[in-house]
Amino acid sequence: MKNYILKRLFLIPLTLLGILALNFAIIQFAPGGPVEYVLAKYSGLNVDSKSTISGSSTMSQSKVSKYQGARGVPEDLVLELEKQFGFDKPAHIRFFKMIKDYAVFNFGKSFYQDKTVWQLIKERMPVSVSLGVWSTLIIYLIAIPLGIKKAVLNGSNFDIWTSFVVILGSAIPVFLFAVFLIVFFAGGTYFQWFPLHGLISDNWEELSLLNKIKDYFWHITLPVISMVIGGFASLTMLTKNSFMDELSKQYVLTAKAKGLSLNQVLYGHVFRNAMLIVIAGFPSLLIKMLFTGSLLIEVIFSLNGIGLLGYEAIMTRDYPVIFGTLYIFALLGLILKLVSDIVYTVIDPRIDFSAR
């Protein structure tokens, strides 16, 4: 197993290099960019104000064709923007500089905010980690016991009405359920039991330690409930189907014939085999909850997390933030995947990844 872990650790930098190279190449051919984004805003402002900029020296036809909507903009402004954003250098030089900087976790500075990418990530990370970790933990605490019980009581009244709840949870969009919670419990129409936005109160620094903990959970309750409703359904059915598949195998019948109780069969024999497929989905679920799954929740509850940061960066073509968050997402995903494989071997020592 030690050799397998070392090989996987060696492959992580290569995998990150491939991910960055592919996305960097896509960005080069994607329409728009930071220069064009700024020029579009610049042109729009000048059109509204009817300035005399059209009388100044304009770009050559090659520059005009390079940036859509840039006709009438001074060429020296375009050259200055290209230099500011680093586009005055060839693509391969920019790529190798990025790889060199990323190797020491230097992600550069945001194009539009007077902060480094690391500062922005550190500011937003607590929100996403809070949402992701608590949501994933609660989803597993609900889905695994529920899925096991549904498998044991398959076809019973309990299985039928819980299946209705699971289907309802998977059918309702997360953002719609979040709006429902706001309307009913955050002062929308009925009750004002929870705050509408933010992760902490404005007077956070003045609170005692106990009150800080209460304030934190008071703010995070509704966002976490919204994410749990949208995530527990698929894991519940995965757990149920996995356990039902194991319960139908010959070794379970043999164990029962030897006089073992249902709990001894479930947790002494079936659990180890059935949980493998559930554990395999842990890294992807955690990454989803940390970043992509929390995007709409962050918007609805006004939470400044990593998901919202990445979305804003894409909309404004803030490439340092885009690639910085991508690098962090990919690195965490690869590490969690390795952790998942290690947990595999802990649950079932018969699995030997190093022999593959």
Side-chain angles (χ1 to χ4, degrees), residues 72-88:
V73 177
E75 184 175 2
D76 57 351
L77 173 61
V78 178
L79 295 175
E80 180 64 27
L81 287 174
E82 287 184 335
K83 183 177 180 180
Q84 177 183 337
F85 295 137
F87 288 96
D88 57 331

Side-chain angles (χ1 to χ4, degrees), residues 144 148 243 265-276 347:
I144 292 177
I148 294 173
F243 271 81
V265 173
L266 276 176
Y267 300 105
H269 299 276
V270 175
F271 187 84
R272 176 185 296 176
N273 297 326
M275 284 300 294
L276 290 175
I347 294 178

Side-chain angles (χ1 to χ4, degrees), residues 51-341:
S51 66
T52 58
I53 192 144
S54 58
S56 38
S57 62
T58 58
M59 294 179 295
S60 62
Q61 183 62 34
S62 61
K63 290 288 184 184
V64 172
S65 61
K66 183 177 180 180
Y67 299 111
Q68 296 181 4
R71 186 180 297 276
V73 177
E75 184 175 2
D76 57 351
L77 173 61
V78 178
L79 295 175
E80 180 64 27
L81 287 174
E82 287 184 335
K83 183 177 180 180
Q84 177 183 337
F85 295 137
F87 288 96
D88 57 331
K89 300 179 179 64
H92 68 280
I93 293 179
R94 288 187 280 120
F95 176 73
F96 286 118
K97 183 181 184 304
M98 182 181 71
I99 295 301
K100 181 181 177 181
D101 291 339
Y102 279 27
V104 293
F105 291 90
N106 177 18
F107 302 126
K109 195 173 182 180
S110 169
F111 284 160
Y112 310 111
Q113 303 182 58
D114 190 23
K115 294 180 179 179
T116 64
V117 176
W118 255 127
Q119 287 177 312
L120 292 172
I121 291 176
K122 285 190 290 185
E123 288 176 1
R124 306 288 188 101
M125 185 65 79
V127 175
S128 295
V129 169
S130 296
L131 291 176
V133 170
W134 285 114
S135 299
T136 305
L137 178 63
I138 295 173
I139 285 172
Y140 267 78
L141 289 176
I142 294 175
I144 292 177
L146 181 59
I148 294 173
K149 191 166 185 179
K150 284 174 64 64
V152 174
L153 301 178
N154 183 45
S156 65
N157 290 333
F158 174 83
D159 181 44
I160 293 172
W161 71 260
T162 52
S163 294
F164 173 77
V165 174
V166 169
I167 293 172
L168 191 65
S170 61
I172 299 178
V174 175
F175 73 89
L176 187 60
F177 193 80
V179 172
F180 170 83
L181 291 178
I182 289 175
V183 170
F184 275 86
F185 303 110
T189 302
Y190 297 94
F191 307 102
Q192 195 168 359
W193 294 348
F194 297 95
L196 183 59
H197 59 82
L199 190 63
I200 55 176
S201 298
D202 294 334
N203 63 336
W204 166 265
E205 297 296 336
E206 304 172 4
L207 300 176
S208 64
L209 178 60
L210 181 60
N211 287 330
K212 283 183 177 181
I213 296 174
K214 290 180 179 179
D215 184 77
Y216 167 75
F217 284 106
W218 182 48
H219 278 79
I220 206 172
T221 298
L222 293 187
V224 168
I225 291 175
S226 303
M227 295 179 66
V228 168
I229 293 297
F232 88 102
S234 58
L235 185 61
T236 299
M237 297 309 298
L238 177 65
T239 304
K240 177 190 175 182
N241 294 332
S242 179
F243 271 81
M244 285 185 62
D245 182 59
E246 291 297 322
L247 287 171
S248 64
K249 292 184 178 179
Q250 184 62 41
Y251 75 90
V252 175
L253 299 176
T254 303
K256 289 181 179 179
K258 289 181 178 181
L260 296 180
S261 66
L262 179 60
N263 285 338
Q264 288 177 320
V265 173
L266 276 176
Y267 300 105
H269 299 276
V270 175
F271 187 84
R272 176 185 296 176
N273 297 326
M275 284 300 294
L276 290 175
I277 191 172
V278 177
I279 292 174
F282 176 80
S284 59
L285 177 63
L286 181 57
I287 290 295
K288 176 184 176 183
M289 290 297 164
L290 280 173
F291 306 112
T292 58
S294 63
L295 172 58
L296 289 175
I297 299 301
E298 290 175 9
V299 173
I300 293 172
F301 289 96
S302 301
L303 299 171
N304 292 322
I306 294 293
L308 185 58
L309 175 65
Y311 174 76
E312 292 171 346
I314 292 173
M315 296 303 294
T316 58
R317 305 299 195 270
D318 197 344
Y319 289 163
V321 178
I322 292 175
F323 283 104
T325 53
L326 173 66
Y327 185 87
I328 296 297
F329 295 171
L331 180 60
L332 285 176
L334 292 170
I335 292 174
L336 287 173
K337 181 60 178 174
L338 177 58
V339 172
S340 176
D341 290 345

